[in-house]
Amino acid sequence: MGLNAFLGNAPTLETVERELEQDRLPHSMLFVGIQGIGKRTLADFISMTVNCLRGGLDFCGQCRSCRKIIENCHPDVKHYEPEGQFIKIDQMRELSREVFFEPFEGKRRFFILDEADKMNLESANSILKTLEEPPENSHLILISNKPNELLTTIRSRCQTYRFGPLPSSEIEQVLTSKLNYSGEDLSLLSRISQGSIGRALSLDLKEYKKGRQELLDLLEVCSQNFLYTRALKSLTALAREKEAFGKKAEILYSLLRDLFLLKVDAACELITHWDIRGKLLSLCANFSFRQIVDGTNALDHIETGIKRNLSKPLALDHFVLSFSGQLAKED
Ligand SMILES: [Zn+2]
């Protein structure tokens, strides 16, 4: 084990390696990029490298220090994450106190803040001074996939490290070594994961395909015979599953996006659902651009409605009507 076990984002890793080598690792760091791309992993790898008992510019993953960090029980490596909705002021007060302690058994202390954008205003303000003048033996690593939701005053005090999505080919390579999937499934999984290796590894492909089939049936109903009641019924059933709806809405978005892309260019290689390309091509022949765009907008409405707990019937109605082209016809 060692830093070279880190997958993807080579330029970011090289920057960190250089800083470790020159003993110039910043004390206030901000890791930004999509979820599941390895931000937290690299933060842990850095804390292991600095504190590894074997010394050098890498970590072994086996010494007492490395093992404690892996098991999340090293007294010098602290993780903070939202308690409920927010990272709370009490957590940040504790951090601001502890940051000045000398290392207990390691060389340096690390404070890793997962979902740092979930700090409320009070919490964020309370660590500004610490970020501005962190003590020599401590490093703060803030992690965020929504950096725009961080205060500018927080961002400006940190050195930012960007983590980009992994290309499909790299994801496929990793998946091949870890999962026992067919070539077609691997390709689908790497496309759905949108460059996030964490997402690819945690996704239940069988469940995903089942959900996708339901949605394809819905699109079919909307496209061929205009069976208003049937379409509305299946969509209402979908929206009732509050938890699952978010996931299904995401699949539906990606299907609509594919229909749009195929409508522009039947040979488009950017589509997500490459494995059912034939089916999508025949579907998209039945829809106009306007229907696809209207359907996507209507889906936005349903999602917002559900988040706000508004009554859904109207939004669902609107989706089925606009996607079936009925609204357009009435214009
Ligand atoms: Zn070690």
Side-chain angles (χ1 to χ4, degrees), residues 51-83:
N51 289 307
C52 180
L53 297 177
R54 295 205 186 158
L57 293 168
D58 212 342
F59 66 92
C60 69
Q62 285 160 2
C63 70
R64 188 165 38 83
S65 169
C66 283
R67 279 206 319 273
K68 278 190 179 176
I69 295 173
I70 292 169
E71 286 158 18
N72 198 10
C73 60
H74 195 296
D76 293 318
V77 180
K78 299 263 180 179
H79 289 96
Y80 293 88
E81 53 190 39
E83 280 180 3

Side-chain angles (χ1 to χ4, degrees), residues 242-282:
K242 249 195 170 178
E243 275 293 298
F245 185 76
K247 282 185 194 154
K248 296 230 170 106
E250 207 178 305
I251 304 177
L252 191 50
Y253 272 122
S254 66
L255 287 169
L256 291 171
R257 175 179 171 269
D258 279 5
L259 288 180
F260 187 88
L261 290 172
L262 289 172
K263 193 103 193 136
V264 177
D265 171 13
C268 179
E269 289 185 3
L270 295 173
I271 61 167
T272 305
H273 304 277
W274 186 260
D275 57 321
I276 50 163
R277 185 170 158 271
K279 167 96 194 145
L280 292 175
L281 273 173
S282 67

Side-chain angles (χ1 to χ4, degrees), residues 178-196:
K178 298 202 183 225
L179 302 170
N180 195 15
Y181 277 133
S182 71
E184 199 176 65
D185 281 351
L186 275 179
S187 156
L188 174 63
L189 198 53
S190 69
R191 281 165 190 257
I192 306 168
S193 67
Q194 294 165 347
S196 159

Side-chain angles (χ1 to χ4, degrees), residues 77-318:
V77 180
K78 299 263 180 179
H79 289 96
Y80 293 88
E81 53 190 39
E83 280 180 3
Q85 243 182 317
F86 298 107
I87 296 182
K88 298 194 173 128
I89 179 79
D90 287 345
Q91 294 172 275
M92 292 303 93
R93 280 200 186 118
E94 181 196 295
L95 181 152
S96 303
R97 224 177 16 249
E98 287 217 5
V99 84
F100 290 98
F101 294 175
E102 287 296 312
F104 288 105
E105 54 183 76
K107 291 189 194 110
R108 302 265 180 91
R109 308 202 78 206
F110 284 86
F111 298 84
I112 300 167
L113 273 75
D114 241 332
E115 297 186 71
D117 45 87
K118 297 264 171 71
M119 278 187 281
N120 56 24
L121 193 62
E122 214 185 2
S123 303
N125 280 328
S126 78
I127 62 160
L128 283 180
K129 202 171 149 20
T130 312
L131 287 171
E132 177 93 45
E133 297 164 351
E136 206 172 313
N137 286 328
S138 292
H139 297 267
L140 275 75
I141 306 182
L142 278 59
I143 295 175
S144 173
N145 52 15
K146 293 177 192 145
N148 292 337
E149 292 180 14
L150 279 166
L151 292 182
T152 325
T153 42
I154 293 268
R155 288 205 305 262
S156 65
R157 282 167 169 78
C158 297
Q159 177 82 39
T160 301
Y161 299 76
R162 291 181 199 288
F163 293 68
L166 264 59
S168 293
S169 55
E170 268 182 52
I171 296 230
E172 256 182 73
Q173 237 173 33
V174 178
L175 294 180
T176 313
S177 63
K178 298 202 183 225
L179 302 170
N180 195 15
Y181 277 133
S182 71
E184 199 176 65
D185 281 351
L186 275 179
S187 156
L188 174 63
L189 198 53
S190 69
R191 281 165 190 257
I192 306 168
S193 67
Q194 294 165 347
S196 159
I197 195 72
R199 188 175 145 87
L201 287 172
S202 63
L203 198 120
D204 181 342
L205 195 59
K206 211 171 142 200
E207 196 59 29
Y208 183 92
K209 280 179 151 179
K210 207 176 122 213
R212 184 177 71 174
Q213 190 52 50
E214 283 173 32
L215 295 164
L216 279 172
D217 293 344
L218 175 70
L219 295 181
E220 187 84 38
V221 173
C222 289
S223 81
Q224 285 191 344
N225 316 305
F226 181 55
L227 298 170
Y228 174 77
T229 336
R230 213 176 109 194
L232 192 59
K233 214 167 128 192
S234 35
L235 198 60
T236 310
L238 262 182
R240 217 175 281 130
E241 319 163 22
K242 249 195 170 178
E243 275 293 298
F245 185 76
K247 282 185 194 154
K248 296 230 170 106
E250 207 178 305
I251 304 177
L252 191 50
Y253 272 122
S254 66
L255 287 169
L256 291 171
R257 175 179 171 269
D258 279 5
L259 288 180
F260 187 88
L261 290 172
L262 289 172
K263 193 103 193 136
V264 177
D265 171 13
C268 179
E269 289 185 3
L270 295 173
I271 61 167
T272 305
H273 304 277
W274 186 260
D275 57 321
I276 50 163
R277 185 170 158 271
K279 167 96 194 145
L280 292 175
L281 273 173
S282 67
L283 259 178
C284 91
N286 295 323
F287 290 112
S288 68
F289 272 119
R290 165 126 194 219
Q291 278 170 274
I292 299 174
V293 173
D294 284 353
T296 311
N297 289 337
L299 185 58
D300 279 339
H301 273 107
I302 305 180
E303 273 218 293
T304 335
I306 287 178
K307 272 188 201 135
R308 291 191 195 148
N309 254 342
L310 298 177
S311 103
K312 283 162 270 174
L314 208 65
L316 296 175
D317 217 51
H318 187 72

